[in-house]
Amino acid sequence: MEQTITIMLVDDHALLRSGLKLLLQKKPSLEVVGEAADGIEALQLYEEVRPHILILDISMPRLDGIQVLREIKLRYEQAKVIVLTMHEDEDYITSIMQAGASGYIPKAAVDEELYTAIDSVMNGYVYLRPQETRTLLSSMLKKTPKEAESRNPYVILSPREREVLRFLARGYTLVETAQELTVSIKTVDTHKTRMMNKLNVSRKSELVEYAMKYKLINDGQA
């Protein structure tokens, strides 16, 4: 039996919450268990319902979404939060991800991407579209060397992607990597493709360069 994924909606516009709820109700496996219209109400309700995923707006009265996100991640480190916002500039995306968001979707794209984002986040991934990933990487590269090292692009990879990267960087083929991880070759190839998209690279050699830069080959840490 398919797991029911509980979701809490936070947005100060009732019409948008209604639209999101209708969209989510189209999938039997998704259940909206709570709605809040401002930041203070969101924190109180989250404590009560403890949803699998919180879908959170940024611009809200009393307490904005960034503050809500930081407070929830402080209280519940494993909380999964997908941020919806009209803002798509670099500063917002960087602030959202640094605050601990599990995913980011512009409101203009929510109809197309919400299901995909929920699936990704529930499977332990961080959900970002390629354009947001490029923006985030660009922001990181503008930091001082010390700041850039503390926020290197490698941290946006999932644990399994990091495992695959480590093997590929050591010269393993897709077949050999699949054997080591006891997964299919197709699964390894999918992880490789996702890594290349997230890191905005086009060749395996560039993946190896990242692995060497962050000492994956030497220390064996994932």
Side-chain angles (χ1 to χ4, degrees):
M1 185 176 179
E2 191 174 12
Q3 176 192 15
T4 297
I5 299 170
T6 57
I7 296 174
M8 177 177 153
L9 304 175
V10 181
D11 194 292
D12 60 331
H13 293 96
L15 189 59
L16 180 59
R17 293 200 312 272
S18 296
L20 286 173
K21 190 172 182 179
L22 287 172
L23 182 64
L24 293 167
Q25 286 175 335
K26 291 180 180 179
K27 289 196 74 171
S29 61
L30 305 179
E31 179 185 3
V32 176
V33 294
E35 299 179 46
D38 64 60
I40 299 297
E41 184 183 354
L43 290 177
Q44 294 170 341
L45 185 60
Y46 190 92
E47 177 75 27
E48 296 175 16
V49 301
R50 301 286 186 89
H52 288 113
I53 293 179
L54 172 64
I55 296 178
L56 176 68
D57 185 23
I58 288 299
S59 302
M60 292 186 300
R62 296 213 287 171
L63 197 65
D64 69 40
I66 292 288
Q67 293 173 295
V68 172
L69 173 57
R70 286 174 178 156
E71 185 62 30
I72 285 178
K73 293 296 289 185
L74 183 63
R75 298 181 190 180
Y76 312 101
E77 186 178 353
Q78 301 304 314
K80 294 177 171 63
V81 183
I82 296 174
V83 171
L84 301 183
T85 178
M86 295 176 63
H87 305 287
E88 299 185 46
D89 59 87
E90 180 179 304
D91 289 340
Y92 267 96
I93 297 171
T94 302
S95 296
I96 288 165
M97 301 314 295
Q98 287 177 354
S102 302
Y104 164 92
I105 306 178
K107 286 185 176 179
V110 68
D111 287 352
E112 304 170 10
E113 300 188 33
L114 190 55
Y115 297 146
T116 303
I118 290 171
D119 287 341
S120 296
V121 169
M122 284 299 294
N123 283 308
Y125 301 115
V126 171
Y127 182 80
L128 287 171
R129 301 183 305 172
Q131 53 264 54
E132 274 81 50
T133 300
R134 286 192 292 272
T135 297
L136 190 60
L137 291 177
S138 174
S139 174
M140 290 174 177
L141 293 173
K142 290 176 184 177
K143 303 290 184 183
T144 64
K146 184 175 181 180
E147 290 173 322
E149 183 66 25
S150 68
R151 299 186 181 94
N152 70 71
Y154 175 68
V155 302
I156 68 174
L157 302 181
S158 71
R160 180 59 93 180
E161 287 166 347
R162 294 197 290 269
E163 286 184 301
V164 170
L165 175 56
R166 191 168 72 246
F167 281 112
L168 294 179
R170 288 172 173 170
Y172 284 65
T173 65
L174 293 181
V175 173
E176 291 168 338
T177 301
Q179 291 172 341
E180 290 290 332
L181 297 176
T182 321
V183 297
S184 69
I185 299 171
K186 182 178 179 181
T187 296
V188 172
D189 191 44
T190 297
H191 286 309
K192 177 186 173 185
T193 300
R194 286 176 177 167
M195 283 191 289
M196 296 179 82
N197 287 336
K198 287 182 177 181
L199 297 174
N200 195 28
V201 300
S202 57
R203 298 186 301 274
K204 180 183 174 182
S205 62
E206 293 175 290
L207 287 178
V208 175
E209 288 175 10
Y210 270 105
M212 293 177 66
K213 180 177 181 180
Y214 296 109
K215 301 181 174 64
L216 285 181
I217 301 175
N218 295 333
D219 61 24
Q221 296 297 312

